Amino acid sequence: MTTPILTAKKVIKRFGGLVAVNSVDFEIPEKSIVSIIGPNGAGKTTFFNCITGFNKADEGTITFEGSDIQNLRPDQITRHGISRTYQNIRLFANMTALENILVGQHKFLHSSWISAILRTKSMLAEEKGALDEAQRLLNFVDLKRKGDLLARNLSYGEQRRLEIARALATRPKLLLLDEPSAGMNPRETEDLTSFIRKLRDELGIAILLIEHHMRVVMGISEFITVLDYGEKIAEGTPKEIQSNTRVIEAYLGRGAATEGMDTAHERFSNKKS
Amino acid sequence: MKKENFIWSSIKVGLLAGAIGIFLSLVGMVEVFNKRDVVEKVISLGMFLLLAISMIAGFIASRRTSDLLGGNQAGSNLLAGTLAGLFTGITLALFVLASDQLNLRAIFLNATPTLSGLLTFGRGSGGLWMLPVLGAGTGLAGGAFLLLPLLVRRPITHAIMVIIFSALFSSLFRVIMVNQGGGIEKAAKAIFSQTGLTINGALVFIFGTLFISILWSSQGAKVQNRVDRLPAKGKLSLRVFSILLIAYVAIMLPQAAGPFIAQVIVIISLYILMGLGLNIEIGFAGLLDLGFVAFYAIGAYTVGLLTSYGEYGLQHVSFWVAVPIAVLISMMFGGILGVPVLGVRGDYLAIATLGFGEIVRLLAGSDFMAPYLGGPRGIIGIQKPCIGTLGEFIAVDIPRVCNGIELSKPQDIYYVAIASALLIAFFSWRLRESRLGRAWMAIREDEDVAEALGIKLVQAKLLAYMLGAAFAGLGGAIFATLVGSIFATSMQLIVSINVVALIIVGGMGSIPGVVVGALALIGLPELLREVSEFRFLLYGMALIAVMLAKPEGLWPSQTISRELHHDEAADATS
């Protein structure tokens, strides 16, 4: 394992009496694709929120590239180089696709309100650069001609891609994707899988996934961590996880450990829908 | 079964319209409007209001009938219209009967004998039959209106609208035209009476509008076409020409229209300034601020303290120096208020700012601050701007002498106000098209996500607050100079509410929307004394109507029109 880009130690998050994340140790190596899986309510998204500053962990430490990001605000964490997408798409629905990405670049733009009113040369140059970059990102996610459409008028898959492009606009070193394949058909899911791989290979960033589609998870993850009732019950390579009896039990209950993970997951998702 | 349905629904429409008529009578609107004429000696504004209600009832009943029957059926439509109008009339007649028999006046102050006299056309209970008959007649007309082809309907609608408009503003036009003297003065007297249009004037307007409207619907497309096909140069000169024309009218208007209208326009401009300021907070950043008047007050008091030659004047700098200082101080107070309250969200923010607005007003009028701000006696003797020597641009001697041009009349302040409004509109537009505008919109859309994308929430919100406060401070500063004195009592909560209302009516986040909203909500009541008595009733009606019919506002922001445009485009291609 190379040096970890993110390290979480003994992270605990409580909501009242409920312990949503219980003493989780976790590492993301540089330029790797890591997944967190687990049944609904296992604390996956809460853990995500602890990393991105949406929730403050009650105990434990989270360090990113050696510096403590535990008590930082979300915007400060983003400035460190962590960016995320959301389980339910949270685009700025009434802004155009291009504007959504431009908002993502906010942290690189510095012109003041006075230069905005005066349209100084440096402000115009900065805007021009931002626009070019935004268009490049649009092209990167295959939304070349959709820049002027309002985000809410894009199709579901396009919205997912736009959200990723917006997250990329902050130039993250670590990208957190919260169930990116939710609501996608098998074809789109396959495209997504190769797209995530392309992200890592071309941009050299680390990716942390929360995912229910076992095909995606097993296909692209280098490491998998399994959470259940807020606790880490297993971690390892996809192969190790697939044969881990505790994991299968967590998904299907005792006695089902003999069944394969994929069928297990199918049942699980049927139950969900 | 269906037939019963449409008859019953027409009766319901009629009863409802009658109830609206009774309501408007009881709040005194009909009686007050009756003092104005639409056409002299023919129909008063109050009568017109009632007839319009039954006519609209007839039209609605007729349209609902068409919906119920799945198409126009002349007989049923006319029957529906007549029924609706008839029941409007019957309801009103019953109301007159009731108010004659019972002493309604004990409860409803406006149920005067004058009102019942008016509703019976001055014939006492002998004239009661006229209401249902007239109602049925107008209802029938309303019902028939639906059956007319569009080509006929449109010119008639235009003519009616022009008649109402010119009658409402007749005194305004009259003043302007009479001021010109000569032939124009004579024409004014022929067209406009003291209270409305003359019969001749009405005929001129009706036929004029009909002629133009018919001409436009037959030739309009051609003209449009020709303009579209103009070369780029021609289009540009057409544009320059129209801008010059507007500028010319704007410059000449106060001289032609006199002090009253100039003052009204100044007040509209001040509300535009405040509207643009609040638009940054509400429209761009989504921060509901109900204490906006505080910054207006701070701007006004700063100018007062810096320039007054009364007892509370601290300094005697000129208007030109005082205004930037006032803007800066308002901005500073925006920051001071912003830091503690911007942590709270949504509704709580509205309450916190509401409190701040009241605190500023109460402090300004309090005994505690009286030694500095004059308390209830206010600050008087605020200087007028003076364009003179360089020295006069900075400070002035006491007693005040202006060697250059003193902008003392409302007609003169007009230019300052209009120029400021234009400048601030320009600023707003530039800000919106920058990274700050995008950050504000992102915060409005989803605060958490905006923060997660690296936007410093407190900083961005604070900036919106301070800029909004600065714009309001500028408005207050001009207001202080216009009136020449300021009192804490003119800084009421209602000013804040007016500004919020004009933004909603105009369209949130839209810069031209602010202008339209200010014209409609501030300009109309200022110009029409009759209307201003019912200002809040009309505000409420306007807000509800806008929310129901055009929730995005009268002149929506680009984003929304862009979206509508896109929908059309998508429809066209599919």
Side-chain angles (χ1 to χ4, degrees), chain A residues 75 78-79 90 93-94 109 111 117 119 127 149-150 152 166, chain B residues 430 435-436 438 445-446 448-449 451-452 454 456 559 563 566:
Chain A
D75 60 292
T78 306
R79 278 160 208 274
R90 284 172 84 173
N94 293 312
L109 308 178
S111 55
I117 287 176
R119 289 241 163 124
E127 284 288 297
L149 297 190
L150 289 188
R152 64 155 148 214
R166 183 180 69 181
Chain B
R430 280 270 168 105
R435 78 183 182 104
L436 297 161
R438 290 193 301 264
E445 293 278 312
D446 193 328
D448 296 327
V449 177
E451 191 177 22
K456 291 175 182 156
T559 323
E563 177 207 4
H566 168 64

PDB file of all heavy atoms in Angstrom, chain A residues 75 78-79 90 93-94 109 111 117 119 127 149-150 152 166, chain B residues 430 435-436 438 445-446 448-449 451-452 454 456 559 563 566:
ATOM      1  N   ASP A  75     -16.145  24.473   3.451  1.00  0.00           N
ATOM      2  CA  ASP A  75     -15.432  25.207   2.399  1.00  0.00           C
ATOM      3  C   ASP A  75     -13.924  25.093   2.590  1.00  0.00           C
ATOM      4  O   ASP A  75     -13.166  25.044   1.621  1.00  0.00           O
ATOM      5  CB  ASP A  75     -15.882  26.671   2.347  1.00  0.00           C
ATOM      6  CG  ASP A  75     -15.634  27.419   3.647  1.00  0.00           C
ATOM      7  OD1 ASP A  75     -16.303  27.099   4.637  1.00  0.00           O
ATOM      8  OD2 ASP A  75     -14.752  28.293   3.666  1.00  0.00           O
ATOM      9  N   THR A  78     -12.844  21.716   1.354  1.00  0.00           N
ATOM     10  CA  THR A  78     -12.786  21.735  -0.101  1.00  0.00           C
ATOM     11  C   THR A  78     -11.492  22.383  -0.584  1.00  0.00           C
ATOM     12  O   THR A  78     -10.879  21.939  -1.540  1.00  0.00           O
ATOM     13  CB  THR A  78     -13.993  22.505  -0.663  1.00  0.00           C
ATOM     14  OG1 THR A  78     -15.166  21.928  -0.132  1.00  0.00           O
ATOM     15  CG2 THR A  78     -14.016  22.437  -2.171  1.00  0.00           C
ATOM     16  N   ARG A  79     -11.087  23.435   0.115  1.00  0.00           N
ATOM     17  CA  ARG A  79      -9.841  24.105  -0.267  1.00  0.00           C
ATOM     18  C   ARG A  79      -8.623  23.199  -0.076  1.00  0.00           C
ATOM     19  O   ARG A  79      -7.616  23.373  -0.736  1.00  0.00           O
ATOM     20  CB  ARG A  79      -9.679  25.400   0.544  1.00  0.00           C
ATOM     21  CG  ARG A  79     -10.465  26.548  -0.055  1.00  0.00           C
ATOM     22  CD  ARG A  79     -10.739  27.662   0.918  1.00  0.00           C
ATOM     23  NE  ARG A  79     -11.970  28.337   0.536  1.00  0.00           N
ATOM     24  CZ  ARG A  79     -12.033  29.328  -0.341  1.00  0.00           C
ATOM     25  NH1 ARG A  79     -10.927  29.769  -0.885  1.00  0.00           N
ATOM     26  NH2 ARG A  79     -13.187  29.865  -0.685  1.00  0.00           N
ATOM     27  N   ARG A  90     -27.744  17.058  -6.023  1.00  0.00           N
ATOM     28  CA  ARG A  90     -27.969  18.399  -5.479  1.00  0.00           C
ATOM     29  C   ARG A  90     -27.263  19.423  -6.349  1.00  0.00           C
ATOM     30  O   ARG A  90     -26.330  20.094  -5.910  1.00  0.00           O
ATOM     31  CB  ARG A  90     -27.487  18.480  -4.036  1.00  0.00           C
ATOM     32  CG  ARG A  90     -28.435  17.803  -3.075  1.00  0.00           C
ATOM     33  CD  ARG A  90     -27.861  17.717  -1.688  1.00  0.00           C
ATOM     34  NE  ARG A  90     -28.070  18.934  -0.920  1.00  0.00           N
ATOM     35  CZ  ARG A  90     -27.765  19.025   0.386  1.00  0.00           C
ATOM     36  NH1 ARG A  90     -27.261  18.009   1.023  1.00  0.00           N
ATOM     37  NH2 ARG A  90     -27.983  20.142   1.038  1.00  0.00           N
ATOM     38  N   ALA A  93     -30.328  23.868  -9.371  1.00  0.00           N
ATOM     39  CA  ALA A  93     -31.262  23.512 -10.438  1.00  0.00           C
ATOM     40  C   ALA A  93     -31.601  24.673 -11.361  1.00  0.00           C
ATOM     41  O   ALA A  93     -31.830  24.478 -12.546  1.00  0.00           O
ATOM     42  CB  ALA A  93     -32.539  22.953  -9.815  1.00  0.00           C
ATOM     43  N   ASN A  94     -31.627  25.905 -10.809  1.00  0.00           N
ATOM     44  CA  ASN A  94     -32.039  27.043 -11.628  1.00  0.00           C
ATOM     45  C   ASN A  94     -30.869  27.788 -12.238  1.00  0.00           C
ATOM     46  O   ASN A  94     -31.026  28.899 -12.718  1.00  0.00           O
ATOM     47  CB  ASN A  94     -32.892  28.000 -10.798  1.00  0.00           C
ATOM     48  CG  ASN A  94     -34.202  27.372 -10.411  1.00  0.00           C
ATOM     49  OD1 ASN A  94     -34.888  26.789 -11.250  1.00  0.00           O
ATOM     50  ND2 ASN A  94     -34.536  27.442  -9.136  1.00  0.00           N
ATOM     51  N   LEU A 109     -11.071  31.841  -7.935  1.00  0.00           N
ATOM     52  CA  LEU A 109     -11.316  33.189  -8.442  1.00  0.00           C
ATOM     53  C   LEU A 109     -11.226  34.181  -7.285  1.00  0.00           C
ATOM     54  O   LEU A 109     -11.715  33.928  -6.201  1.00  0.00           O
ATOM     55  CB  LEU A 109     -12.699  33.271  -9.094  1.00  0.00           C
ATOM     56  CG  LEU A 109     -12.972  32.209 -10.151  1.00  0.00           C
ATOM     57  CD1 LEU A 109     -14.370  32.343 -10.704  1.00  0.00           C
ATOM     58  CD2 LEU A 109     -11.963  32.314 -11.278  1.00  0.00           C
ATOM     59  N   SER A 111     -11.316  37.942  -7.839  1.00  0.00           N
ATOM     60  CA  SER A 111     -11.614  39.343  -8.117  1.00  0.00           C
ATOM     61  C   SER A 111     -12.653  39.848  -7.114  1.00  0.00           C
ATOM     62  O   SER A 111     -13.584  39.147  -6.753  1.00  0.00           O
ATOM     63  CB  SER A 111     -12.120  39.504  -9.541  1.00  0.00           C
ATOM     64  OG  SER A 111     -13.222  38.667  -9.748  1.00  0.00           O
ATOM     65  N   ILE A 117     -17.546  45.290 -10.655  1.00  0.00           N
ATOM     66  CA  ILE A 117     -18.321  46.431 -11.161  1.00  0.00           C
ATOM     67  C   ILE A 117     -17.546  47.143 -12.259  1.00  0.00           C
ATOM     68  O   ILE A 117     -18.102  47.515 -13.289  1.00  0.00           O
ATOM     69  CB  ILE A 117     -18.652  47.405 -10.009  1.00  0.00           C
ATOM     70  CG1 ILE A 117     -19.716  46.793  -9.105  1.00  0.00           C
ATOM     71  CG2 ILE A 117     -19.112  48.747 -10.542  1.00  0.00           C
ATOM     72  CD1 ILE A 117     -20.044  47.609  -7.888  1.00  0.00           C
ATOM     73  N   ARG A 119     -15.226  45.856 -14.101  1.00  0.00           N
ATOM     74  CA  ARG A 119     -14.739  44.921 -15.128  1.00  0.00           C
ATOM     75  C   ARG A 119     -13.282  45.193 -15.470  1.00  0.00           C
ATOM     76  O   ARG A 119     -12.942  45.525 -16.608  1.00  0.00           O
ATOM     77  CB  ARG A 119     -15.570  45.046 -16.414  1.00  0.00           C
ATOM     78  CG  ARG A 119     -16.966  44.511 -16.273  1.00  0.00           C
ATOM     79  CD  ARG A 119     -17.237  43.374 -17.232  1.00  0.00           C
ATOM     80  NE  ARG A 119     -18.420  42.657 -16.779  1.00  0.00           N
ATOM     81  CZ  ARG A 119     -19.491  42.455 -17.520  1.00  0.00           C
ATOM     82  NH1 ARG A 119     -19.527  42.877 -18.761  1.00  0.00           N
ATOM     83  NH2 ARG A 119     -20.512  41.798 -17.036  1.00  0.00           N
ATOM     84  N   GLU A 127     -12.196  35.611 -15.575  1.00  0.00           N
ATOM     85  CA  GLU A 127     -13.472  35.046 -16.002  1.00  0.00           C
ATOM     86  C   GLU A 127     -13.311  34.203 -17.264  1.00  0.00           C
ATOM     87  O   GLU A 127     -13.888  33.139 -17.399  1.00  0.00           O
ATOM     88  CB  GLU A 127     -14.483  36.164 -16.281  1.00  0.00           C
ATOM     89  CG  GLU A 127     -15.065  36.784 -15.038  1.00  0.00           C
ATOM     90  CD  GLU A 127     -16.049  35.852 -14.332  1.00  0.00           C
ATOM     91  OE1 GLU A 127     -17.087  35.525 -14.934  1.00  0.00           O
ATOM     92  OE2 GLU A 127     -15.767  35.441 -13.199  1.00  0.00           O
ATOM     93  N   LEU A 149     -27.995  25.051 -20.867  1.00  0.00           N
ATOM     94  CA  LEU A 149     -29.272  24.550 -20.343  1.00  0.00           C
ATOM     95  C   LEU A 149     -29.292  24.669 -18.828  1.00  0.00           C
ATOM     96  O   LEU A 149     -28.262  24.544 -18.169  1.00  0.00           O
ATOM     97  CB  LEU A 149     -29.460  23.084 -20.719  1.00  0.00           C
ATOM     98  CG  LEU A 149     -29.553  22.784 -22.211  1.00  0.00           C
ATOM     99  CD1 LEU A 149     -29.978  21.332 -22.420  1.00  0.00           C
ATOM    100  CD2 LEU A 149     -30.556  23.702 -22.876  1.00  0.00           C
ATOM    101  N   LEU A 150     -30.483  24.891 -18.299  1.00  0.00           N
ATOM    102  CA  LEU A 150     -30.609  24.877 -16.848  1.00  0.00           C
ATOM    103  C   LEU A 150     -30.362  23.465 -16.357  1.00  0.00           C
ATOM    104  O   LEU A 150     -30.775  22.495 -16.995  1.00  0.00           O
ATOM    105  CB  LEU A 150     -32.004  25.318 -16.420  1.00  0.00           C
ATOM    106  CG  LEU A 150     -32.325  26.792 -16.619  1.00  0.00           C
ATOM    107  CD1 LEU A 150     -33.650  27.117 -15.979  1.00  0.00           C
ATOM    108  CD2 LEU A 150     -31.243  27.666 -16.023  1.00  0.00           C
ATOM    109  N   ARG A 152     -31.734  21.732 -14.206  1.00  0.00           N
ATOM    110  CA  ARG A 152     -32.893  20.866 -13.974  1.00  0.00           C
ATOM    111  C   ARG A 152     -33.496  20.338 -15.277  1.00  0.00           C
ATOM    112  O   ARG A 152     -34.340  19.451 -15.253  1.00  0.00           O
ATOM    113  CB  ARG A 152     -33.950  21.609 -13.190  1.00  0.00           C
ATOM    114  CG  ARG A 152     -34.497  22.792 -13.946  1.00  0.00           C
ATOM    115  CD  ARG A 152     -35.878  23.127 -13.488  1.00  0.00           C
ATOM    116  NE  ARG A 152     -36.077  24.558 -13.604  1.00  0.00           N
ATOM    117  CZ  ARG A 152     -36.798  25.261 -12.780  1.00  0.00           C
ATOM    118  NH1 ARG A 152     -37.374  24.682 -11.795  1.00  0.00           N
ATOM    119  NH2 ARG A 152     -36.939  26.542 -12.975  1.00  0.00           N
ATOM    120  N   ARG A 166     -18.858  19.320 -11.706  1.00  0.00           N
ATOM    121  CA  ARG A 166     -18.825  20.433 -10.756  1.00  0.00           C
ATOM    122  C   ARG A 166     -17.846  20.120  -9.618  1.00  0.00           C
ATOM    123  O   ARG A 166     -17.087  20.984  -9.188  1.00  0.00           O
ATOM    124  CB  ARG A 166     -20.222  20.669 -10.197  1.00  0.00           C
ATOM    125  CG  ARG A 166     -20.299  21.848  -9.264  1.00  0.00           C
ATOM    126  CD  ARG A 166     -21.686  22.057  -8.736  1.00  0.00           C
ATOM    127  NE  ARG A 166     -22.073  20.991  -7.826  1.00  0.00           N
ATOM    128  CZ  ARG A 166     -23.251  20.920  -7.229  1.00  0.00           C
ATOM    129  NH1 ARG A 166     -24.172  21.837  -7.471  1.00  0.00           N
ATOM    130  NH2 ARG A 166     -23.547  19.924  -6.422  1.00  0.00           N
TER     131      ARG A 166
ATOM    132  N   ARG B 430     -23.689  44.223 -13.259  1.00  0.00           N
ATOM    133  CA  ARG B 430     -22.284  43.797 -13.295  1.00  0.00           C
ATOM    134  C   ARG B 430     -21.989  42.784 -12.200  1.00  0.00           C
ATOM    135  O   ARG B 430     -21.271  41.816 -12.401  1.00  0.00           O
ATOM    136  CB  ARG B 430     -21.371  45.021 -13.123  1.00  0.00           C
ATOM    137  CG  ARG B 430     -21.205  45.816 -14.407  1.00  0.00           C
ATOM    138  CD  ARG B 430     -20.025  45.272 -15.176  1.00  0.00           C
ATOM    139  NE  ARG B 430     -19.940  45.769 -16.525  1.00  0.00           N
ATOM    140  CZ  ARG B 430     -19.062  46.690 -16.938  1.00  0.00           C
ATOM    141  NH1 ARG B 430     -18.256  47.252 -16.074  1.00  0.00           N
ATOM    142  NH2 ARG B 430     -19.012  47.039 -18.194  1.00  0.00           N
ATOM    143  N   ARG B 435     -18.345  36.415 -10.412  1.00  0.00           N
ATOM    144  CA  ARG B 435     -18.255  35.227  -9.571  1.00  0.00           C
ATOM    145  C   ARG B 435     -19.095  35.414  -8.309  1.00  0.00           C
ATOM    146  O   ARG B 435     -19.618  34.462  -7.759  1.00  0.00           O
ATOM    147  CB  ARG B 435     -16.793  34.951  -9.219  1.00  0.00           C
ATOM    148  CG  ARG B 435     -16.270  35.838  -8.147  1.00  0.00           C
ATOM    149  CD  ARG B 435     -14.813  35.607  -7.841  1.00  0.00           C
ATOM    150  NE  ARG B 435     -14.426  36.491  -6.760  1.00  0.00           N
ATOM    151  CZ  ARG B 435     -14.243  36.085  -5.505  1.00  0.00           C
ATOM    152  NH1 ARG B 435     -14.381  34.826  -5.188  1.00  0.00           N
ATOM    153  NH2 ARG B 435     -13.913  36.947  -4.570  1.00  0.00           N
ATOM    154  N   LEU B 436     -19.245  36.696  -7.873  1.00  0.00           N
ATOM    155  CA  LEU B 436     -20.035  36.938  -6.671  1.00  0.00           C
ATOM    156  C   LEU B 436     -21.504  36.653  -6.922  1.00  0.00           C
ATOM    157  O   LEU B 436     -22.181  36.024  -6.111  1.00  0.00           O
ATOM    158  CB  LEU B 436     -19.858  38.387  -6.228  1.00  0.00           C
ATOM    159  CG  LEU B 436     -18.432  38.709  -5.844  1.00  0.00           C
ATOM    160  CD1 LEU B 436     -18.181  40.192  -5.861  1.00  0.00           C
ATOM    161  CD2 LEU B 436     -18.145  38.114  -4.484  1.00  0.00           C
ATOM    162  N   ARG B 438     -22.702  34.599  -9.027  1.00  0.00           N
ATOM    163  CA  ARG B 438     -22.880  33.138  -9.088  1.00  0.00           C
ATOM    164  C   ARG B 438     -22.857  32.541  -7.696  1.00  0.00           C
ATOM    165  O   ARG B 438     -23.644  31.652  -7.382  1.00  0.00           O
ATOM    166  CB  ARG B 438     -21.769  32.521  -9.942  1.00  0.00           C
ATOM    167  CG  ARG B 438     -21.889  32.848 -11.407  1.00  0.00           C
ATOM    168  CD  ARG B 438     -20.962  31.970 -12.221  1.00  0.00           C
ATOM    169  NE  ARG B 438     -19.567  32.128 -11.837  1.00  0.00           N
ATOM    170  CZ  ARG B 438     -18.701  32.931 -12.442  1.00  0.00           C
ATOM    171  NH1 ARG B 438     -19.091  33.647 -13.469  1.00  0.00           N
ATOM    172  NH2 ARG B 438     -17.457  32.999 -12.036  1.00  0.00           N
ATOM    173  N   GLU B 445     -29.734  28.742  -3.930  1.00  0.00           N
ATOM    174  CA  GLU B 445     -30.225  27.443  -4.388  1.00  0.00           C
ATOM    175  C   GLU B 445     -29.999  26.356  -3.339  1.00  0.00           C
ATOM    176  O   GLU B 445     -30.889  25.556  -3.076  1.00  0.00           O
ATOM    177  CB  GLU B 445     -29.512  27.042  -5.679  1.00  0.00           C
ATOM    178  CG  GLU B 445     -29.834  27.918  -6.862  1.00  0.00           C
ATOM    179  CD  GLU B 445     -31.136  27.516  -7.519  1.00  0.00           C
ATOM    180  OE1 GLU B 445     -31.333  26.325  -7.772  1.00  0.00           O
ATOM    181  OE2 GLU B 445     -31.965  28.412  -7.764  1.00  0.00           O
ATOM    182  N   ASP B 446     -28.794  26.276  -2.803  1.00  0.00           N
ATOM    183  CA  ASP B 446     -28.488  25.232  -1.835  1.00  0.00           C
ATOM    184  C   ASP B 446     -27.255  25.642  -1.039  1.00  0.00           C
ATOM    185  O   ASP B 446     -26.129  25.537  -1.518  1.00  0.00           O
ATOM    186  CB  ASP B 446     -28.237  23.900  -2.552  1.00  0.00           C
ATOM    187  CG  ASP B 446     -28.229  22.737  -1.579  1.00  0.00           C
ATOM    188  OD1 ASP B 446     -27.816  22.943  -0.426  1.00  0.00           O
ATOM    189  OD2 ASP B 446     -28.611  21.628  -1.976  1.00  0.00           O
ATOM    190  N   ASP B 448     -25.785  24.461   1.680  1.00  0.00           N
ATOM    191  CA  ASP B 448     -24.796  23.449   2.077  1.00  0.00           C
ATOM    192  C   ASP B 448     -23.866  23.101   0.932  1.00  0.00           C
ATOM    193  O   ASP B 448     -22.647  23.029   1.099  1.00  0.00           O
ATOM    194  CB  ASP B 448     -25.506  22.172   2.536  1.00  0.00           C
ATOM    195  CG  ASP B 448     -26.327  22.420   3.779  1.00  0.00           C
ATOM    196  OD1 ASP B 448     -25.913  23.258   4.588  1.00  0.00           O
ATOM    197  OD2 ASP B 448     -27.383  21.785   3.916  1.00  0.00           O
ATOM    198  N   VAL B 449     -24.454  22.882  -0.236  1.00  0.00           N
ATOM    199  CA  VAL B 449     -23.631  22.506  -1.377  1.00  0.00           C
ATOM    200  C   VAL B 449     -22.707  23.649  -1.760  1.00  0.00           C
ATOM    201  O   VAL B 449     -21.533  23.439  -2.073  1.00  0.00           O
ATOM    202  CB  VAL B 449     -24.527  22.100  -2.567  1.00  0.00           C
ATOM    203  CG1 VAL B 449     -23.676  21.787  -3.768  1.00  0.00           C
ATOM    204  CG2 VAL B 449     -25.389  20.915  -2.201  1.00  0.00           C
ATOM    205  N   GLU B 451     -21.423  25.789   0.164  1.00  0.00           N
ATOM    206  CA  GLU B 451     -20.307  25.809   1.107  1.00  0.00           C
ATOM    207  C   GLU B 451     -19.313  24.692   0.779  1.00  0.00           C
ATOM    208  O   GLU B 451     -18.106  24.891   0.804  1.00  0.00           O
ATOM    209  CB  GLU B 451     -20.813  25.664   2.544  1.00  0.00           C
ATOM    210  CG  GLU B 451     -19.715  25.944   3.556  1.00  0.00           C
ATOM    211  CD  GLU B 451     -20.204  25.876   4.996  1.00  0.00           C
ATOM    212  OE1 GLU B 451     -21.240  25.228   5.221  1.00  0.00           O
ATOM    213  OE2 GLU B 451     -19.543  26.450   5.852  1.00  0.00           O
ATOM    214  N   ALA B 452     -19.869  23.530   0.418  1.00  0.00           N
ATOM    215  CA  ALA B 452     -18.994  22.392   0.117  1.00  0.00           C
ATOM    216  C   ALA B 452     -18.204  22.622  -1.167  1.00  0.00           C
ATOM    217  O   ALA B 452     -17.259  21.891  -1.444  1.00  0.00           O
ATOM    218  CB  ALA B 452     -19.811  21.116   0.009  1.00  0.00           C
ATOM    219  N   GLY B 454     -16.616  25.357  -1.666  1.00  0.00           N
ATOM    220  CA  GLY B 454     -15.557  26.300  -1.347  1.00  0.00           C
ATOM    221  C   GLY B 454     -16.003  27.735  -1.204  1.00  0.00           C
ATOM    222  O   GLY B 454     -15.167  28.632  -1.114  1.00  0.00           O
ATOM    223  N   LYS B 456     -17.198  30.738   0.919  1.00  0.00           N
ATOM    224  CA  LYS B 456     -17.261  31.104   2.337  1.00  0.00           C
ATOM    225  C   LYS B 456     -18.601  31.771   2.568  1.00  0.00           C
ATOM    226  O   LYS B 456     -18.822  32.921   2.178  1.00  0.00           O
ATOM    227  CB  LYS B 456     -16.119  32.054   2.676  1.00  0.00           C
ATOM    228  CG  LYS B 456     -14.763  31.374   2.615  1.00  0.00           C
ATOM    229  CD  LYS B 456     -13.653  32.388   2.835  1.00  0.00           C
ATOM    230  CE  LYS B 456     -12.308  31.706   2.714  1.00  0.00           C
ATOM    231  NZ  LYS B 456     -11.240  32.653   2.356  1.00  0.00           N
ATOM    232  N   THR B 559     -32.704  34.043 -15.901  1.00  0.00           N
ATOM    233  CA  THR B 559     -32.626  32.593 -15.739  1.00  0.00           C
ATOM    234  C   THR B 559     -33.955  31.955 -16.092  1.00  0.00           C
ATOM    235  O   THR B 559     -34.015  30.983 -16.829  1.00  0.00           O
ATOM    236  CB  THR B 559     -32.303  32.242 -14.283  1.00  0.00           C
ATOM    237  OG1 THR B 559     -31.400  33.193 -13.796  1.00  0.00           O
ATOM    238  CG2 THR B 559     -31.766  30.860 -14.182  1.00  0.00           C
ATOM    239  N   GLU B 563     -35.158  29.750 -19.304  1.00  0.00           N
ATOM    240  CA  GLU B 563     -35.716  28.410 -19.193  1.00  0.00           C
ATOM    241  C   GLU B 563     -36.996  28.284 -20.019  1.00  0.00           C
ATOM    242  O   GLU B 563     -37.180  27.324 -20.755  1.00  0.00           O
ATOM    243  CB  GLU B 563     -36.009  28.113 -17.734  1.00  0.00           C
ATOM    244  CG  GLU B 563     -36.649  26.783 -17.525  1.00  0.00           C
ATOM    245  CD  GLU B 563     -37.479  26.805 -16.263  1.00  0.00           C
ATOM    246  OE1 GLU B 563     -37.575  27.878 -15.645  1.00  0.00           O
ATOM    247  OE2 GLU B 563     -38.018  25.765 -15.928  1.00  0.00           O
ATOM    248  N   HIS B 566     -36.163  28.022 -23.496  1.00  0.00           N
ATOM    249  CA  HIS B 566     -35.660  26.695 -23.826  1.00  0.00           C
ATOM    250  C   HIS B 566     -36.811  25.709 -24.014  1.00  0.00           C
ATOM    251  O   HIS B 566     -36.816  24.887 -24.922  1.00  0.00           O
ATOM    252  CB  HIS B 566     -34.716  26.202 -22.741  1.00  0.00           C
ATOM    253  CG  HIS B 566     -34.382  24.752 -22.876  1.00  0.00           C
ATOM    254  ND1 HIS B 566     -33.690  24.266 -23.956  1.00  0.00           N
ATOM    255  CD2 HIS B 566     -34.701  23.686 -22.118  1.00  0.00           C
ATOM    256  CE1 HIS B 566     -33.567  22.964 -23.842  1.00  0.00           C
ATOM    257  NE2 HIS B 566     -34.179  22.585 -22.726  1.00  0.00           N
TER     258      HIS B 566
END
